Amino acid sequence: MTTSTIDLTLPYKTRVQDALGNKHLRTALDRSTGRMAGQRVAAMTAVDGQLLRDQVRQMKEHVIRNLPDLLEELERTITANGGHVHWAKEGVDVQRLVVEIARKANVQKVVKAKSMATEEVHLNQALQSAGMKVVETDLGEYIIQLAGEPPSHIVAPVIHRRVEEIAEVFQRELDMPPTLDPQVICSVARGALRKEFLSADMGISGCNFAIAETGTCCIVTNEGNGRMSSTLPRVYVVVMGIEKLVPTVEDAFLQYQALCRSATGQQCSVYLSMTNGPRRPGDTDGPEEFHVILLDNGRVDMLAKEYGEALCCLRCGACLNVCPVYREIGGHAYGSTYSGPIGAVISPSIHLEVTDVDKLPYASSLCGACREACPAKIDLPRMLLELRRDVVEEGDAPLFDRQSMQAFSFAMGSRGRYEAAGKLGSLGSNVFAGMSGGNIKFMPGPLAAWTSSRDFPPLAKRSFREQWKERQRGRKSIGEGKKEE
Amino acid sequence: MTHKKQFDSPPRRVALFVTCMVDMLYPEVGMATVELLERHGVEVVFPAEQTCCGQPAFNSGFWEEARPLARRFVDIFEPLVRQKQVDAVVAPSGSCTTMTSHFYQLLLENEPAYRERAAFLGAATFELTEFLVDVLGVTDVGARFDGRLTYHACCHLLRELGIDRQPRALLDAVEGADLVAMTGADECCGFGGLFAIKNGGISTAMGQRKAQNIAKSDADAVALCDVSCMTHINGLLSREGQRCRAVHIAQVLTNQVDVAARPASDEVAPESKAAPRRWQDDKVKG
């Protein structure tokens, strides 16, 4: 079967090559990223988008500055509501905690609402190893679970697949008759998932935001699967990154507003499910047990370094949709749970196993579209620059890069060397260009990465400074005066 | 750098930060910049000690290698402004202006003295179109262009410096220019400095998307404010055999760009399938 999937464990270079060479993947990305970016712009300009972003940023900065206090407040309020709070330092701690909770409650089947935090810690694999059946219930997640793939986008996990491929998966896995009608495909999934909801013992979800003052965990969905995962099974477990909290109910709705508009261009999502605690006496539904797992997994270290700003992230995916790099290669080529600009920034800090993670900060032209789209105004280009500096300082840059940059710095470090290099470059490049009729069609070594697909002009025969000197003959300029007298 | 230097009286003399790429690859852009400034009564001085601002090293993580170049740049230009030998520094590049007026603040974070001097210098450093429109108050420079013209917004210029209205205003005033819109005019062309080499495949894919949008716009020329992006876009247009070329805005504004009347597509003889030689390729450099 033709697929749009890239193997995450391959080296970065191969992943990118595979992605660029995958016509289906690029068709799928073309169909959706531009549309999603356009919807966001429309939704953000329908309100005072700048004000909304400023307010979100202010609120998230407050959260980060007061993280310890707010987390303790959240622990108190959840506990007071009858829920249980667990602290997980690493991904394996989440695995251990959830397996323990599941075993204690004699859980056989788990239904899951979409959650990047559980992807990050590979929770599904841990539960399956412990003998439990795990069913993803977000439609996109369900599709890629059937296909045996990780998500390739923060909010649109199956964005890398065309409808044609999705239909193939359903025909194979669910005996769906051949069709490309999205309504039919959805109803097949709906029928299959309904049975899973009704027979599940445990529901697991992430958390779009938790409200510290009330102990409320909120999940934003459009399919209703979140509501069924949080209310139908006996046990409900929320796994959330420690930064996903807001101080007050008012703040929650600020974040909700920014999230919906930025993620999908909606004014509000179809569902907003809020869980305060387990079922109380007299309640007609809700879980008997309610657990919240607070996950660090490198987030505290991000605060200690210069990357704490990244904890303002709402996980809306807006930066992916506008990123010209993501648009060409999709999420899997990043090799991480988190892709796109935000993924390139947080993947080196979050404790994830990513092949060639130090290549990710370089997977950007630093065009700044991400920062413009970010509802929390995260300065992603700045952090990418600083991460590149870290790569170099830690000695992880390729030797060729180091040597050429040292040579560059030396050559540019004096006027004499600069002018000599220019002269040499002019002579050499004009010989090269002369051979191919005006433009350079081939350059040696790593520079071939340019000329394999693009021409390069020769250096000018007479540089600006030479022409200027001639023009100024008889005159004297400030800069040259001192030197030449 | 939101606090740009304010001028009580019109600036009379500026230092040209020509940028190494313009110096070595596109002297005609430098000359056009000088012409535009002088035409509006501004005397231009060229500090010949200048080389490169260090962006390639900074941008690829080699901050240690970039710092001497940053200090060097500050040492050359800052005294000129500080001692009022010039009123401002002008560069025909959004990217190099960004480097010296924004990124030096990051690069020189642990060198307070240089950082302060860089901030002072940065406030007095202007990208060419910003200087023409915002400082000199000029939009009509008396240029003429016979053909279809579109505009590509370079990333640093647009999203770091927030300059967009100024080049567009200057182009709007060009007599005879048929300004056409381009899809994705504010999307990156894929250059990104060493990104174009290190991630050549992605960079090319982005550039090809840009080239397609240029073709769809049916423009004769794409004006822009950075020769780095211009090199990338032209590298693709040339390789693809497209007729259109990217040109620096200073070239448009000084009538350096001459696009011959374009034959209707059905008039193109089959033997002329090879891209017609263009004004830019024909121009003898220097």
Side-chain angles (χ1 to χ4, degrees):
Chain A
M1 183 176 101
T2 49
T3 80
S4 312
T5 303
I6 307 301
D7 183 348
L8 267 66
T9 58
L10 293 170
Y12 169 76
K13 226 179 153 167
T14 318
R15 295 197 301 260
V16 169
Q17 267 169 5
D18 287 357
L20 288 173
N22 193 321
K23 247 178 66 189
H24 295 319
L25 169 63
R26 298 185 71 187
T27 305
L29 290 168
D30 251 359
R31 283 182 190 170
S32 34
T33 50
R35 181 172 45 82
M36 290 177 74
Q39 286 168 345
R40 176 189 59 79
V41 171
M44 285 301 272
T45 44
V47 291
D48 188 341
Q50 286 304 328
L51 180 66
L52 181 57
R53 292 170 72 222
D54 283 336
Q55 288 174 338
V56 167
R57 173 59 183 236
Q58 217 180 348
M59 187 267 285
K60 292 305 288 186
E61 274 186 16
H62 171 80
V63 167
I64 288 169
R65 272 198 304 271
N66 300 284
L67 200 54
D69 290 347
L70 287 168
L71 284 168
E72 281 174 14
E73 184 183 354
L74 182 69
E75 183 180 32
R76 275 198 304 276
T77 49
I78 290 174
T79 310
N81 294 342
H84 305 276
V85 173
H86 312 264
W87 300 78
K89 180 87 189 107
E90 302 294 332
V92 287
D93 297 326
V94 176
Q95 298 181 352
R96 178 180 48 78
L97 284 163
V98 179
V99 169
E100 274 172 22
I101 294 166
R103 287 218 169 113
K104 221 177 269 174
N106 193 23
V107 167
Q108 307 295 319
K109 186 188 281 183
V110 178
V111 283
K112 280 185 71 213
K114 191 178 151 27
S115 149
M116 292 308 284
T118 61
E119 287 291 336
E120 175 187 325
V121 303
H122 306 296
L123 183 59
N124 289 11
Q125 291 87 325
L127 290 170
Q128 281 157 355
S129 304
M132 280 161 258
K133 185 180 179 190
V134 182
V135 183
E136 293 286 352
T137 64
D138 170 86
L139 180 58
E141 289 282 349
Y142 184 56
I143 294 163
I144 57 176
Q145 189 185 30
L146 290 176
E149 301 169 352
S152 72
H153 187 287
I154 294 174
V155 297
V158 71
I159 195 169
H160 57 284
R161 279 181 175 265
R162 302 164 304 139
V163 63
E164 294 86 341
E165 296 169 63
I166 293 166
E168 275 184 56
V169 172
F170 276 24
Q171 284 167 41
R172 191 182 65 221
E173 301 292 331
L174 302 174
D175 295 324
M176 184 184 77
T179 177
L180 290 181
D181 183 345
Q183 270 198 327
V184 177
I185 296 174
C186 284
S187 65
V188 169
R190 193 187 176 88
L193 286 172
R194 195 50 62 107
K195 290 181 206 129
E196 308 285 9
F197 284 124
L198 291 171
S199 57
D201 310 295
M202 178 187 263
I204 298 177
S205 78
C207 180
N208 291 100
F209 39 89
I211 307 169
E213 67 172 356
T214 56
T216 310
C217 292
C218 307
I219 50 175
V220 178
T221 74
N222 281 318
E223 299 165 18
N225 64 310
R227 176 75 48 90
M228 287 196 272
S229 301
S230 66
T231 54
L232 288 176
R234 290 183 281 118
V235 186
Y236 175 38
V237 179
V238 170
V239 181
M240 62 178 275
I242 49 169
E243 80 282 18
K244 293 297 234 13
L245 86 178
V246 296
T248 66
V249 174
E250 203 178 329
D251 295 326
F253 282 92
L254 178 66
Q255 177 151 344
Y256 178 60
Q257 166 105 222
L259 178 63
C260 296
R261 290 182 188 270
S262 302
T264 50
Q266 289 168 291
Q267 292 174 27
C268 64
S269 56
V270 180
Y271 292 86
L272 170 60
S273 301
M274 310 171 85
T275 304
N276 266 28
R279 177 197 298 228
R280 292 164 301 190
D283 283 355
T284 51
D285 60 9
E288 292 159 20
E289 272 180 53
F290 176 52
H291 299 267
V292 178
I293 298 175
L294 300 168
L295 171 66
D296 173 4
N297 209 28
R299 287 166 172 80
V300 171
D301 293 344
M302 282 166 77
L303 272 178
K305 290 193 271 174
E306 296 143 295
Y307 308 112
E309 191 185 338
L311 295 181
C312 292
C313 177
L314 312 185
R315 300 281 189 272
C316 69
C319 63
L320 279 62
N321 299 331
V322 298
C323 177
V325 172
Y326 182 92
R327 186 165 58 182
E328 304 297 349
I329 61 173
H332 289 150
Y334 289 80
S336 166
T337 303
Y338 300 105
S339 56
I342 188 68
V345 165
I346 65 175
S347 296
S349 302
I350 288 192
H351 300 166
L352 291 161
E353 289 202 7
V354 179
T355 311
D356 290 339
V357 73
D358 55 356
K359 298 276 189 285
L360 297 188
Y362 291 92
S364 165
S365 66
L366 302 174
C367 80
C370 49
R371 180 182 50 206
E372 212 173 56
C374 178
K377 295 187 142 184
I378 300 173
D379 195 347
L380 292 156
R382 175 186 63 78
M383 284 188 279
L384 290 168
L385 281 163
E386 287 173 339
L387 285 161
R388 292 177 185 191
R389 177 206 55 198
D390 291 354
V391 169
V392 170
E393 279 181 1
E394 281 154 27
D396 295 332
L399 184 67
F400 175 81
D401 291 16
R402 181 171 297 278
Q403 286 172 342
S404 45
M405 277 307 146
Q406 282 167 349
F408 160 80
S409 183
F410 179 74
M412 295 292 171
S414 93
R415 176 181 170 184
R417 291 194 292 270
Y418 168 87
E419 288 177 356
K423 213 69 220 151
L424 205 67
S426 173
L427 285 170
S429 63
N430 277 289
V431 169
F432 257 87
M435 294 190 301
S436 49
N439 262 322
I440 300 169
K441 305 268 181 197
F442 168 78
M443 287 192 284
L447 296 178
W450 179 290
T451 44
S452 65
S453 53
R454 294 154 287 190
D455 292 348
F456 198 84
L459 268 60
K461 292 202 170 96
R462 281 164 63 246
S463 66
F464 172 83
R465 60 184 57 223
E466 287 174 289
Q467 296 185 35
W468 175 263
K469 211 187 225 172
E470 204 159 288
R471 186 176 183 274
Q472 297 302 102
R473 198 168 286 159
R475 298 193 226 172
K476 200 181 285 175
S477 76
I478 294 170
E480 275 180 318
K482 280 186 216 141
K483 208 77 198 168
E484 292 185 350
E485 263 168 0
Chain B
M1 198 72 42
T2 42
H3 302 292
K4 277 289 188 188
K5 181 173 174 177
Q6 302 295 312
F7 297 90
D8 301 329
S9 54
R12 288 173 39 225
R13 186 193 272 173
V14 301
L16 175 65
F17 165 30
V18 78
T19 79
C20 59
M21 276 192 83
V22 167
D23 187 13
M24 290 191 183
L25 280 157
Y26 307 103
E28 63 275 17
V29 171
M31 283 303 173
T33 302
V34 173
E35 188 185 325
L36 283 168
L37 292 167
E38 288 182 347
R39 199 191 287 169
H40 295 97
V42 178
E43 188 193 336
V44 177
V45 298
F46 177 70
E49 277 295 307
Q50 62 182 287
T51 57
C52 169
C53 63
Q55 183 164 200
F58 170 75
N59 177 302
S60 49
F62 291 87
W63 292 21
E64 220 37 69
E65 283 70 18
R67 277 194 197 99
L69 301 179
R71 288 193 291 262
R72 195 174 179 281
F73 182 89
V74 171
D75 283 338
I76 293 165
F77 283 95
E78 186 259 359
L80 297 178
V81 182
R82 185 82 71 180
Q83 293 159 17
K84 299 194 165 49
Q85 293 183 61
V86 298
D87 301 308
V89 176
V90 175
S93 162
S95 189
C96 306
T97 303
T98 298
M99 178 65 193
T100 58
S101 57
H102 288 208
F103 292 154
Y104 277 6
Q105 295 304 302
L106 203 55
L107 183 62
L108 301 170
E109 209 159 28
N110 300 320
E111 298 177 61
Y114 265 109
R115 190 173 191 237
E116 187 280 324
R117 290 175 64 196
F120 173 80
L121 175 61
T125 304
F126 295 84
E127 184 274 334
L128 174 64
T129 65
E130 178 188 27
F131 188 77
L132 289 172
V133 176
D134 292 353
V135 179
L136 298 183
V138 181
T139 47
D140 187 351
V141 299
R144 185 173 177 89
F145 179 90
D146 294 304
R148 296 157 75 85
L149 191 61
T150 192
Y151 176 69
H152 164 74
C154 298
C155 298
H156 278 163
L157 182 84
L158 175 66
R159 282 180 283 267
E160 297 288 345
L161 301 179
I163 297 172
D164 194 47
R165 155 186 62 81
Q166 298 90 330
R168 289 180 187 277
L170 287 161
L171 293 175
D172 269 343
V174 174
E175 205 192 320
D178 178 9
L179 296 175
V180 295
M182 171 167 64
T183 308
D186 61 353
E187 288 170 8
C188 182
C189 74
F191 174 68
L194 285 196
F195 172 77
I197 306 276
K198 285 177 83 82
N199 279 287
I202 304 173
S203 165
T204 299
M206 289 161 68
Q208 284 167 342
R209 192 182 287 267
K210 177 63 67 181
Q212 275 167 21
N213 284 331
I214 290 171
K216 271 188 267 168
S217 79
D218 203 25
D220 297 306
V222 187
L224 40 67
C225 298
D226 270 283
V227 296
S228 47
C229 313
M230 179 174 108
T231 304
H232 192 236
I233 292 173
N234 280 339
L236 281 148
L237 294 177
S238 161
R239 182 63 59 95
E240 290 179 1
Q242 279 202 45
R243 218 179 140 267
C244 178
R245 284 293 179 272
V247 291
H248 193 278
I249 191 165
Q251 295 174 287
V252 177
L253 299 179
T254 52
N255 300 350
Q256 277 187 22
V257 181
D258 176 22
V259 287
R262 198 171 180 182
S265 55
D266 55 349
E267 288 171 18
V268 178
E271 60 268 26
S272 70
K273 217 155 173 199
R277 283 178 64 77
R278 302 295 300 160
W279 38 267
Q280 201 184 36
D281 298 338
D282 293 345
K283 195 168 274 288
V284 179
K285 286 188 171 161

